Amino acid sequence: MPSRRIAPMAGLALGLLLDPAYAEDNTLELDTISVTTDAYESATGPVKGYRATRSASATKTDTALRDIPQSISVIPATVLKDLGSTQVERALEFAGGVSKQNNFGGLTLYEYSVRGFTTSEFYQDGFSANRGYPSTPDTANIERIEVLKGPAASLYGRGDPGGTVNIVTKKPQPDAFTTVQTSAGSWDRYRTAVDLNTPLDSEGNLLSRVNLAVEDNHSFRDHVQSKRVFVAPSFSWQLDPDTHLLVESELVRHSSTFDRGIVDASGVSRATFLGEPNDGDIDNHNNRLQASLEHHLNDAWKLRLASHYKQGSLWGDASENRALNADGHTIDRRYRERSMGWHDSITQVELRGLFDIGSWQHELLVGTEYEDYRKKERVTAIGGSRYTLDIYNPVYGQPKPNGARSGTDFFEQTQSHALNLQDQVIFTDRLRGMVGARFEHFEQSIDDFTRNHARSQQTHDALTQRAGLLYQLTPQVGVFANASTSFKPNSGLGADGKSFKPEEGVGYEVGVKSELFDDRLSATLAAFHIEKENVLTLDPATNLNRAVGKARSQGLDLQLSGQVSDAVRVIGAFAYIDAEVTKGDKTLPAGSRILGVAKRSGSLLGVYEFQDGALRGSDLGAAFTYVGDRSGEAGTRFELPAYHTVDLLAHYKATDNLTVGLNLNNLFDESYYERSYSSYWISPGEPRNFTVSLTLNL
């Protein structure tokens, strides 16, 4: 910290001023120091290569990753660029211990799991971003994706204990540039993205940036397609030396075919579509606006006021398959209409400061947050005549059912007030600690229009904590340990007419962080144990839910990223996760594997970049991904088999400003299942495919 350096230097300067003879006779020669800003990486800025050194996701302060007593994976946008992918889930494969879950028919990043526990929460610049059914985040505006392992409720509030994903968006930069990228791939997939960064004044106080993308995609899946228009303008304004304003916005217009995948049946083609082509697409429109004002009160203290608002709507009709019939070749389907709308407003106020107490140095964060989330949801199933399809010889165009209507129709409002406190402490040059706590008041009300506006309500108060220590054994190796808690409200009412107890979780972690190859390569190895209780289970006596279930996950994960040499960059992960229900019910008994979680999974991406000659700046690389067998349906013996894929990539730097790229995915045309929700909602992985890209820097 600066105070330790300032004191002796101030003493020396004072001595020189008071004793000219000392100054004359004792000349002090200092080595020339060269200072460059290029070497500094901010917690929200671009990452050079694959190795990030700083993050704000774990502490909400700009902190060196090696100083955080908790596992956190940072996947820079460079990874997605090298892979030629626009899928956030592709990046999460390199975080370690993150599993794909229900994606709501391809419409959203609906659910994923971290360290064995499924969650539907993810964050964008520290704000909750997955309320409602927003479209999948677009990579055109993503700077980095960060995964904080273990419970994070003391910092972010309600959620599952496995971990938290925070997406850091691109911010305006001081230098003007324009990047245009266009790509074309198998099955008529086309995309164009533009990144335009423009300083608006000569002093660099007012900056602007606009990211936009347009795509039109078909699929290896019959009759499945999607279209998207994405625009993300932002600007920053340095109002004065101490005050900075950042305003960001997003507009998304997305439409896609609702696709639940295939059923578990021998010989069914992975391309077979079990819906109806004439249903049309599901439309998903989203808008986001957020602003952050930061003011330095003095050299040590800073005040931040931030507000976030998003609004979205989703609507459309779809024919959804059910389980395979006894004849082994037909399925029944149901026809459902969806109409959903939501909006969410969040306000945060934070005070951050540095101070010393004795020899201990503190970085304090005091914050408060208010959220008001509202959602209107109607899902109508239309009954009538049987609505079947032969999975081996599908004949589309059958008349839609036109009988009795049933389903859900409700309005939900959730309000929460929170106060959080965090202290990062430097005890000695080698020992650091962190403690945090958050108190949250939560209110939820649901109006059920299908039951004459019957209202259910719940109110909860929750206190969550976190504590961790990190000891630096050597300049290259540090050991850490932490413990933290989580909570997540359960929706609905029990048999007594009262709201359920919230799910509560506790996580423990110990690990090692190391810097290898002269600080070129960072690696983290951690062992963890997480428990969750008050999971809703079905009471056979009343056929109603009770909050008495329990689940446990334990294991270890390894992550690494950086430069093996000037020419070779790598990022990879491995995870072993033993996750199971420890107290369940008849539907999901104790000992059941948790849905979609592989015991073993791993990934590795390596790229060689030519340093000299005619190919200078060009590169070649390969990616390997392995996912072990997983439970394919909760509480049953249905499992998805293990799989592995190999991808190849190459980029040719034709000129200083023009790069041509080629990505060949699933080189060996592995037939595999990416995810499932049941034995009749299974998503096949993509066959062998390619993408050609062209990147122009102006």
Side-chain angles (χ1 to χ4, degrees), residues 204-506:
N205 293 325
L206 189 61
L207 312 174
S208 72
R209 189 171 187 174
V210 179
N211 280 276
L212 58 90
V214 179
E215 61 181 43
D216 185 357
N217 296 324
H218 290 261
S219 167
F220 75 97
R221 301 271 299 143
D222 296 338
H223 311 292
V224 174
Q225 61 185 4
S226 66
K227 294 182 179 180
R228 168 176 289 212
V229 176
F230 174 87
V231 184
S234 62
F235 77 88
S236 66
W237 187 8
Q238 194 69 42
L239 298 168
D240 59 50
D242 297 322
T243 310
H244 180 261
L245 174 67
L246 175 65
V247 179
E248 302 171 273
S249 60
E250 284 185 1
L251 180 148
V252 187
R253 298 293 181 264
H254 184 91
S255 64
S256 60
T257 306
F258 193 82
D259 180 23
R260 291 289 198 184
I262 61 175
V263 299
D264 179 30
S266 176
V268 63
S269 170
R270 55 184 167 180
T272 303
F273 179 58
L274 302 181
E276 278 291 332
N278 62 10
D279 286 341
D281 293 334
I282 301 289
D283 291 293
N284 195 348
H285 292 183
N286 299 267
N287 306 292
R288 176 177 70 94
L289 177 65
Q290 71 185 41
S292 174
L293 182 67
E294 291 190 348
H295 178 69
H296 289 266
L297 302 174
N298 51 44
D299 291 341
W301 291 89
K302 179 169 66 176
L303 184 66
R304 174 179 176 268
L305 171 64
S307 187
H308 166 103
Y309 176 81
K310 59 178 169 290
Q311 176 272 332
S313 55
L314 182 149
W315 71 96
D317 308 334
S319 303
E320 302 176 40
N321 60 288
R322 308 296 290 167
L324 187 67
N325 292 325
D327 60 19
H329 66 92
T330 65
I331 55 167
D332 287 308
R333 298 177 296 174
R334 60 182 174 184
Y335 185 67
R336 296 208 289 187
E337 302 170 338
R338 285 182 171 84
S339 179
M340 306 170 183
W342 60 91
H343 58 92
D344 192 26
S345 59
I346 306 171
T347 299
Q348 299 173 345
V349 180
E350 295 172 347
L351 178 65
R352 311 171 191 176
L354 304 171
F355 62 94
D356 294 348
I357 298 180
S359 62
W360 293 3
Q361 300 167 13
H362 298 259
E363 183 170 5
L364 186 68
L365 171 69
V366 181
T368 183
E369 181 178 84
Y370 170 74
E371 180 179 7
D372 185 357
Y373 165 62
R374 306 183 185 197
K375 178 177 70 172
K376 176 73 166 61
E377 180 171 322
R378 179 178 58 81
V379 182
T380 303
I382 304 175
S385 59
R386 289 189 67 184
Y387 190 38
T388 62
L389 191 75
D390 191 318
I391 64 173
Y392 299 109
N393 185 29
V395 178
Y396 305 109
Q398 302 175 46
K400 299 289 194 296
N402 192 25
R405 293 172 171 257
S406 62
T408 60
D409 189 4
F410 64 89
F411 172 78
E412 174 187 350
Q413 181 176 8
T414 302
Q415 293 179 294
S416 64
H417 307 257
L419 177 67
N420 65 282
L421 177 69
Q422 176 185 269
D423 190 14
Q424 298 169 255
V425 188
I426 302 178
F427 299 106
T428 68
D429 292 340
R430 292 191 174 189
L431 182 63
R432 298 171 179 264
M434 178 174 61
V435 294
R438 178 181 174 113
F439 174 79
E440 186 160 351
H441 177 75
F442 173 91
E443 297 177 0
Q444 182 189 55
S445 64
I446 299 176
D447 289 334
D448 190 344
F449 302 132
T450 65
R451 297 190 297 144
N452 196 28
H453 286 262
R455 170 170 284 199
S456 63
Q457 293 179 303
Q458 63 171 325
T459 301
H460 293 290
D461 294 325
L463 177 66
T464 52
Q465 311 95 38
R466 175 172 66 155
L469 287 172
L470 184 145
Y471 184 76
Q472 203 70 35
L473 292 172
T474 71
Q476 289 76 38
V477 179
V479 294
F480 67 93
N482 63 73
S484 50
T485 61
S486 71
F487 95 103
K488 185 179 73 173
N490 279 313
S491 299
L493 299 175
D496 58 359
K498 299 180 179 179
S499 60
F500 299 110
K501 293 180 179 179
E503 289 185 1
E504 295 181 346
V506 58

Side-chain angles (χ1 to χ4, degrees), residues 48-62:
K48 185 178 181 180
Y50 292 164
R51 176 178 174 263
T53 60
R54 310 189 69 82
S55 170
S57 296
T59 61
K60 289 195 174 183
T61 63
D62 192 331

